[in-house]
Amino acid sequence: MRYDSLLAVCVTLFPITISGDSNLSEPLSSQQILPNNFKPPQVFQNVNLLRNTNLEKGYVRETVNVVIENIDTKSQSEYYVPFSVDVIGNVGGFEVRDKKTPGPSFKTDLVEYDPYSPTQFFRTTLPQPLSPKSQLTLSITYHILSTLTPLPFKIGQNDKQYLHYTFSTYTPSAYPTLKQKTKLKFPTPEVPDAIGGSPERQGSTFTYGPYNDLVPAGALEPASVRYEFTKPVIHATLLERDIEVSHWGGNLATEERYWLTNQGAHLKANFNRVQWAASQYYKPATSALRELNVPLKVGSLNPYFTDDIGNVSTSRFRSNKREANLELKPRYPVFGGWKYSFRIGWDADLASFLRVLKNPQGGHVLKVPFLEGPRMGEGVSYGKVELQVILPEGAKNVKFETEVPLVRVEETVHRTFMDTVGRTTLKLTAMNVADEARDKPLIVTYDYPFSAAFRKPVTIFLGVVAVFVTAWGIGRLDPKIDISE
């Protein structure tokens, strides 16, 4: 089981954030492999720690606010956060910030990957080394996908669904902790089972601690909870998202292809269509996925919704001056263990996303969301996201900036109708992404010279001339056979 988890980790070894000054020709940094007996230097201690675990969605969201103190005699700048080898492959959106001072997140990277090490570490580099006896308040946020399991594993079609979550009441830390507390937030107050610890219950919130005694580094206190979650656990194993920029048409075309699955409880009997149809009159809570709500940018046009069979007519598009919303209803309810693949697309006015710079190189700045897609109360998680930004033919000097951690960056060529050399395409790949990335933009800068804008019409003109010349040449041929006597 450990090697399966390590295989999943293998593709997340290079989480990077590219700045606007980065160039795609630069290679990614190599992975630093540490020995399996590596232990972070004990140069910090956690003075006070508060962990908030949110279970209101179909994945785990954690926020750790901790006051750290440098107990060494020298200034220190590297802080380590441990994860077990079975969990690290599902961790995404890992960010560390200064809790008291707003600003960009700190630099983080995964520093250890060893098949015999039970623990992996994220290393955070502080922007300024922390001097001895000084303190700093960190805010550490991340989410963990595919870690909630349905219990029982099989239920009836109209039964309630319960999820099981295993954790430690002590926050895993590479450093000793003087005082700490853990809070769990559930979607409802219905929590029939809570094993381990002595939580204080207040509505839909459990509080473990405070623990005022010194907790040594690496200490764990296993616990588990089982709570009611009669909603679909929506997970996209793969999302392919294409954004095509057309300067001549002034259009930004977006297409998204989804491979969805419901990670909730399976049906213990065959699906009953009559029972399902009858329940739609009062729409009770269900673990099946009935519909998807996709909010789009105001001004979006020409949406479509297709799957492997063809066009899906069970969709509705609402658009006005304040909002644009695409409501999707799959061909069938997606229960636990079921899968559904489909694609959606729409157009938008390019002027709302593109800005032209006044420089001789013809600079352009494109700002688009890194992720759009469904916005659901129960959340949507993505195992892998492949984003392609297809720029006009002739675009060069492509650079980009995003806060979403990436595992791969490529610059390729995409060829379509009437292209000559092909369109420059920026391809970005991210792993373990949550729907919270909807609020994070992707900024792409590129040069598009004035001469490149005429490449397409010149190609079309020459093509038309070639057709007429060919037709004229064929018309000049004499098909008669001259039979000489």
Side-chain angles (χ1 to χ4, degrees), residues 146-159:
S146 304
T147 190
L148 302 174
T149 56
L151 187 66
F153 183 71
K154 294 185 177 182
I155 60 176
Q157 189 167 307
N158 293 332
D159 291 349

Side-chain angles (χ1 to χ4, degrees), residues 357-427:
L357 303 179
K358 296 181 179 180
N359 57 20
Q361 294 78 22
H364 290 70
V365 179
L366 178 70
K367 183 178 180 181
V368 294
F370 184 90
L371 182 69
E372 290 185 85
R375 175 177 289 169
M376 308 292 290
E378 57 269 27
V380 182
S381 60
Y382 303 86
K384 183 179 182 181
V385 177
E386 293 183 350
L387 171 60
Q388 284 193 130
V389 181
I390 304 173
L391 301 173
E393 190 175 23
K396 58 184 180 180
N397 194 24
V398 180
K399 301 177 183 180
F400 72 99
E401 179 181 354
T402 181
E403 293 182 359
V404 179
L406 305 173
V407 297
R408 180 176 297 177
V409 178
E410 297 178 88
E411 184 176 333
T412 60
V413 176
H414 179 79
R415 290 181 172 84
T416 57
F417 182 68
M418 296 299 291
D419 283 344
T420 54
V421 296
R423 304 185 184 185
T424 304
T425 301
L426 176 65
K427 185 175 181 180

Side-chain angles (χ1 to χ4, degrees), residues 432-445:
N432 299 331
V433 181
D435 52 2
E436 296 175 351
R438 291 178 54 93
D439 300 327
K440 297 184 179 180
L442 169 65
I443 300 176
V444 181
T445 63

Side-chain angles (χ1 to χ4, degrees), residues 89-111:
N90 297 324
V91 174
F94 187 89
E95 290 184 349
V96 181
R97 300 177 184 270
D98 188 339
K99 176 68 175 178
K100 296 183 178 180
T101 305
S105 59
F106 300 161
K107 178 184 177 182
T108 61
D109 54 355
L110 184 64
V111 297

